[in-house]
Amino acid sequence: MTVSILLTGVGGQGTILTTKILSSALADMGYEVKMSEIHGMSQRGGTVNTQLKYGDKVYAPNIGEGEADLIAAFEKAEALRALPYLKKGGKIIMDAREIYSLPVLIGQAEYPREADLELRKVAGDISVIPASDMAEKLGSIKAQNICILGALVKALGLQEYDWEGLIASMVPQKTVDINLRAFRAGLAY
Amino acid sequence: MLGGEDNLAKAIMSGDEAVARGAYEAGAKVASAYPGTPSTEILENISLYKDDIYCTWANNEKIAVEIALGASIGGCRALAAMKHVGMNAAADPIFSAAYTGVNGGLVLVSADDPGCYSSQNEQDNRLYAPHAKLGMLEPSDSQECLDFTKAAFELSERFDLIMLLRMTTRVCHSKSLVMTGDRKEPEAKKYESNAAKYAMLPVNARRRHVAVEASLERLKEYSYSSPLNRVELNDTAVGVISSGMCYMHAREAFGERASYLKLGITYPLSDRLLREFCEKVDKIYVVEEGEPYLETAVRALGFDCLGKEYTTPQGELDAQRIRKAFGLGEKPETYSSAMAVPPRPPVLCAGCPHRGFYYAMMGYKDRLVAVGDIGCYSLGINAPYYGFDIAVCMGSGFSIPIGLAKALEAQGDGRKVFGILGDSTFFHSGFNSLVDAVHNKANVCLCVLDNSITAMTGHQQNAGTELSLMGCEVPKMDIVEMIKSTGLSGESIFIVDPIDQKAMKAAIERALEIKGTAVIVAKSPCALLKEVVKARGSLHCEIDAGKCRGCKACVKIACPAMAFEGKKARIADPASCTGCGLCMQQCKFDAIRKVV
């Protein structure tokens, strides 16, 4: 049995760190873990996808269309873009945060404001979590990713692990406190 | 030969990190590279071991290979890493160094990019191994990246061959569990003068050609029983031959019932191993990205197989593509939506000085034709700047214009040809091209977009920076002095801050008037550089909604920190706005100001 998770967002949102923390914990729990991140030009404001698979035995690290058990989207339009990857019956956790791409900013394209409603209609199992708002209230929008991590942990049923210890060891020292609070908020949402 | 009685520790590593770790454990003493996605992190991670491994960012891949070669001949284990196209730049030393062979083990890493995630082509560098006469290993995951790197050093010394570790983007940038061990330094090999082996004059080269062929033959013998290759014999109705990440995809696509020949040593291929496997199975599938490299070897032995006819040479493979290509069952069901998702292409960052250059150039489109190059400034090709028409390879941004200018002149096309490249590309090979332009009095304007760092690959030091990869203070090359050293008159050299639109436009206009070679140095540091971010503090721009008339002049610069909503422009992302002021220069209504 392999579980496949796709994390998607925009360069700078911290999807890669989130995947790193998640995979460290899964490895610590004794699973075989593989993650794949394609970076390069994409870090300049483009879409960033990281893919994580865990189970008893994992071969390829990447996830094909219709194969993701869980999609964690850090941005609304990216949740819609990732939809083809969702397995039938799979779940989407998403932040309704909107980040406009350049074609939208300069008026060449329309932003899909109702992407969350559309996803609910098409796919069904959607949790919209206001992670960026919650993180901002806690003091920094940058903790959005760790807030989503909390929601992910809950969705995967992996609460029985010392997540707080791991997060504290993996985020910048100055941000430990806010990240722990963001994690708890995501877990409780 | 793999493993040992080490203090084993478990870690999650990318393929690149694991290669660095492997080099460290193998006792490598020298490593060099020119940055290039997806290989960059190899040297970045080797620099973590800088107390044990001397490491450098070379100005180009040829130099990186030559530095490693020198260390090898001198008796040290050495490594050079490059992206696939970098190996083209390094091909000159590689082909002849293959004849000299090694003293200390010499490992070259080529990171190929099937699918062109960050590259200008998807060439398959496995073909270099037979062509250049290198032994070749292909790892499939991070553990193999570590183990095969160590094995490559041993094989290099044992068979007196240069070993090529061939990776792909998916191997370089995927992370998986790795057992690490200790560093073991091999016994020091003394440098001894041996011109017959290391000086490739014709008389020696002829003899060394015989020697390298014999070495390859010995490695081929070894390959038959090497643990780096693996036969997984299950049901023999289907046999799959594969290597690298393709093996992992094939393993998912064909499942547990099929039999596999997973090749770790992919040059020289063991005929005997291939033949024995092919004879045991009924139907042979060859799964590989790029060229029909393994397939050709299988067919040469007289076996029929299914391969490139189905998988094509283009793009990256995955389990689904393999299933679809060979008709192995249905694609999983998916959800779909008719709602359009706007594209999110990579863009020049907020505050990027390149934006100032390209925006100023937009006003002169009818008077010039531009040639670009490889770097962050490649993004200037996109809307709204459409900054250049041509981009091929490192350094060509300064040499293609020389020929293009002649062609335009022959057609009576009066437009001036501009060449565009960055500081790191200037050091890589752009300077050579500049010398040609000046020497031949080419009627071109060559522009160095100097942002004081190798930016696209994530801020690596280069010859123009004050620090080296190892964090040492080093002499900083002065690009303007280098340009002056060509003898070009100071009146033809323009040094400007590209954000300053008045100065930038004046430079372009004057360059257009010059008959002959002009050079523009657009100098302003990358907005993401740590020291630049620190010096900036909280500086950013603010738009007074009361004064904004909604003319959109500021939005036209296409800055990702800005938005236009409700008929007003605003700074939508003040955290990423650097307060560069490019938008401010467009506003006729004094609505934008800098604030701290």
Side-chain angles (χ1 to χ4, degrees):
Chain A
M1 181 64 188
T2 308
V3 179
S4 300
I5 306 168
L6 177 77
L7 293 96
T8 182
V10 179
Q13 277 193 294
T15 50
I16 290 177
L17 178 63
T18 311
T19 318
K20 231 184 210 172
I21 296 173
L22 192 55
S23 47
S24 290
L26 290 162
D28 205 15
M29 290 175 207
Y31 290 109
E32 173 159 13
V33 188
K34 286 190 178 174
M35 64 183 271
S36 186
E37 55 187 57
I38 297 290
H39 52 255
M41 290 181 98
S42 58
Q43 60 189 279
R44 307 274 172 253
T47 299
V48 175
N49 279 334
T50 65
Q51 312 180 341
L52 185 151
K53 279 162 117 173
Y54 69 96
D56 300 330
K57 179 75 200 159
V58 181
Y59 291 99
N62 43 333
I63 299 168
E65 292 196 349
E67 291 179 359
D69 297 281
L70 184 60
I71 290 176
F74 291 48
E75 199 274 345
K76 197 198 271 185
E78 294 311 321
L80 186 58
R81 197 191 310 281
L83 178 66
Y85 287 90
L86 189 66
K87 187 187 272 183
K88 278 281 174 183
K91 184 180 176 68
I92 298 178
I93 293 174
M94 62 179 286
D95 191 344
R97 180 176 181 189
E98 297 177 357
I99 301 176
Y100 303 143
S101 66
L102 209 66
V104 173
L105 289 177
I106 60 176
Q108 287 186 348
E110 277 288 315
Y111 187 86
R113 293 233 150 67
E114 310 212 314
D116 45 346
L117 305 176
E118 170 74 0
L119 286 168
R120 181 155 285 142
K121 203 167 72 189
V122 176
D125 193 356
I126 313 290
S127 292
V128 180
I129 167 166
S132 41
D133 292 349
M134 283 154 71
E136 210 165 10
K137 269 181 209 140
L138 290 171
S140 168
I141 197 163
K142 284 189 174 171
Q144 178 207 13
N145 59 336
I146 304 300
C147 185
I148 290 178
L149 176 66
L152 258 170
V153 165
K154 188 174 153 192
L156 293 166
L158 297 172
Q159 293 94 326
E160 297 295 311
Y161 179 79
D162 179 20
W163 289 98
E164 299 203 359
L166 183 65
I167 293 166
S169 72
M170 289 184 78
V171 301
Q173 215 44 47
K174 280 187 203 158
T175 67
V176 169
D177 183 53
I178 179 168
N179 277 307
L180 291 183
R181 284 188 287 142
F183 177 75
R184 286 174 211 143
L187 197 63
Y189 190 77
Chain B
M1 73 192 294
L2 305 176
E5 298 104 52
D6 292 351
N7 296 312
L8 298 175
K10 204 164 80 166
I12 295 178
M13 285 190 182
S14 70
D16 281 349
E17 287 173 272
V19 168
R21 181 73 200 180
Y24 167 76
E25 291 182 14
K29 283 224 169 71
V30 173
S32 188
Y34 180 79
T37 312
S39 70
T40 312
E41 295 88 339
I42 296 172
L43 257 277
E44 284 186 329
N45 281 285
I46 281 183
S47 76
L48 302 178
Y49 310 112
K50 66 184 178 186
D51 291 343
D52 295 297
I53 308 178
Y54 169 82
C55 51
T56 72
W57 289 126
N59 272 324
N60 62 42
E61 295 84 352
K62 169 176 147 69
I63 297 169
V65 167
E66 289 160 351
I67 289 172
L69 175 64
S72 160
I73 292 173
C76 293
R77 288 190 166 180
L79 176 145
M82 61 216 87
K83 70 180 289 166
H84 60 337
V85 288
M87 201 159 164
N88 303 331
D92 193 5
I94 291 172
F95 276 71
S96 301
Y99 281 23
T100 72
V102 307
N103 185 18
L106 178 55
V107 176
L108 307 180
V109 186
S110 167
D112 294 10
D113 192 16
C116 283
Y117 288 99
S118 314
S119 305
Q120 58 268 46
N121 76 26
E122 38 183 3
Q123 69 185 55
D124 182 345
N125 278 5
R126 292 179 303 171
L127 301 186
Y128 263 120
H131 196 187
K133 307 196 180 298
L134 315 171
M136 172 164 61
L137 305 184
E138 279 186 80
S140 303
D141 62 15
S142 299
Q143 183 68 59
E144 286 189 354
C145 285
L146 192 156
D147 294 340
F148 283 23
T149 302
K150 290 165 81 172
F153 280 109
E154 289 175 27
L155 295 174
S156 173
E157 286 170 4
R158 180 165 158 197
F159 295 101
D160 191 11
L161 287 168
I162 296 175
M163 295 299 294
L164 175 65
L165 189 76
R166 191 264 187 171
M167 303 167 74
T168 55
T169 301
R170 197 63 70 173
V171 176
C172 294
H173 284 179
S174 292
K175 295 190 175 179
S176 54
L177 281 170
V178 169
M179 293 300 284
T180 61
D182 299 332
R183 176 173 169 94
K184 290 195 184 100
E185 292 203 14
E187 253 175 69
K189 294 195 169 191
K190 210 172 150 7
Y191 170 71
E192 275 165 20
S193 166
N194 185 354
K197 186 170 184 321
Y198 296 118
M200 284 305 96
L201 282 84
V203 61
N204 294 335
R206 282 183 209 113
R207 291 192 193 116
R208 288 302 307 170
H209 188 183
V210 177
V212 69
E213 297 293 351
S215 297
L216 286 167
E217 206 46 52
R218 290 196 297 132
L219 178 58
K220 187 172 174 173
E221 296 253 321
Y222 162 80
S223 177
Y224 173 70
S225 53
S226 167
L228 299 169
N229 299 317
R230 191 168 77 224
V231 177
E232 296 170 23
L233 219 49
N234 301 307
D235 188 319
T236 54
V238 167
V240 179
I241 300 173
S242 194
S243 63
M245 184 56 81
C246 289
Y247 161 78
M248 295 293 183
H249 297 313
R251 190 66 186 65
E252 287 203 351
F254 288 88
E256 284 173 10
R257 289 195 59 196
S259 292
Y260 296 88
L261 173 58
K262 181 200 176 298
L263 293 164
I265 303 180
T266 45
Y267 193 77
L269 289 162
S270 166
D271 295 348
R272 205 171 139 202
L273 186 66
L274 279 174
R275 187 178 289 118
E276 283 179 10
F277 182 78
C278 290
E279 279 168 353
K280 277 181 196 142
V281 298
D282 301 333
K283 196 171 181 182
I284 304 161
Y285 290 85
V286 180
V287 179
E288 57 191 330
E289 285 156 346
E291 303 301 318
Y293 172 76
L294 298 174
E295 180 180 345
T296 304
V298 169
R299 290 191 186 280
L301 293 173
F303 295 96
D304 194 18
C305 62
L306 288 80
K308 280 292 142 186
E309 207 181 323
Y310 300 89
T311 52
T312 80
Q314 297 88 29
E316 188 189 26
L317 287 181
D318 58 31
Q320 280 192 21
R321 262 194 79 188
I322 294 167
R323 280 190 206 109
K324 191 177 170 200
F326 294 118
L328 307 170
E330 295 299 304
K331 196 189 156 193
E333 273 189 81
T334 56
Y335 295 103
S336 62
S337 161
M339 191 178 271
V341 188
R344 195 183 294 279
V347 293
L348 295 173
C349 305
C352 176
H354 300 336
R355 177 175 291 104
F357 174 84
Y358 283 116
Y359 193 69
M361 214 172 74
M362 282 170 76
Y364 302 92
K365 277 293 160 59
D366 52 342
R367 294 170 66 191
L368 60 87
V369 177
V371 182
D373 209 297
I374 314 296
C376 278
Y377 45 86
S378 304
L379 296 171
I381 199 170
N382 294 329
Y385 321 108
Y386 305 111
F388 53 89
D389 297 349
I390 301 164
V392 178
C393 66
M394 294 289 292
S396 68
F398 273 12
S399 19
I400 289 175
I402 302 171
L404 183 59
K406 278 289 157 200
L408 295 189
E409 185 190 308
Q411 293 160 29
D413 185 333
R415 288 178 293 175
K416 183 141 185 157
V417 181
F418 275 50
I420 301 162
L421 49 71
D423 46 324
S424 190
T425 310
F426 180 79
F427 294 122
H428 180 283
S429 46
F431 180 67
N432 290 351
S433 307
L434 169 70
V435 169
D436 269 61
V438 175
H439 183 65
N440 294 302
K441 298 183 179 173
N443 182 25
V444 295
C445 173
L446 303 180
C447 311
V448 186
L449 273 51
D450 178 5
N451 62 358
S452 308
I453 200 77
T454 311
M456 179 56 109
T457 41
H459 288 177
Q460 288 74 33
Q461 299 81 3
N462 64 42
T465 57
E466 282 159 355
L467 293 178
S468 68
L469 171 62
M470 297 173 75
C472 307
E473 275 188 38
V474 284
K476 180 176 153 178
M477 297 296 132
D478 186 323
I479 290 179
V480 174
E481 288 303 319
M482 286 173 76
I483 294 165
K484 285 182 185 161
S485 77
T486 63
L488 189 65
S489 144
E491 286 167 14
S492 301
I493 304 171
F494 307 98
I495 303 152
V496 287
D497 174 355
I499 295 292
D500 180 346
Q501 291 294 280
K502 213 167 144 189
M504 190 66 242
K505 285 179 186 167
I508 294 173
E509 260 172 55
R510 286 176 60 197
L512 282 167
E513 283 155 16
I514 288 172
K515 290 271 165 276
T517 311
V519 172
I520 295 175
V521 182
K523 191 167 172 55
S524 178
C526 172
L528 301 183
L529 275 178
K530 257 188 199 152
E531 53 270 29
V532 174
V533 173
K534 204 174 162 193
R536 184 168 66 232
S538 60
L539 178 72
H540 64 282
C541 282
E542 238 175 37
I543 302 180
D544 183 335
K547 287 186 182 169
C548 175
R549 307 265 187 98
C551 72
K552 288 190 177 177
C554 59
V555 183
K556 285 185 184 138
I557 63 165
C559 171
M562 301 186 77
F564 190 82
E565 283 168 334
K567 297 187 178 164
K568 300 276 183 191
R570 65 184 185 97
I571 303 295
D573 186 0
S576 73
C577 171
T578 67
C580 77
L582 185 62
C583 56
M584 214 166 94
Q585 295 173 56
Q586 316 305 321
C587 184
K588 290 186 183 123
F589 308 105
D590 202 22
I592 308 179
R593 61 188 187 107
K594 293 187 187 186
V595 290
V596 182

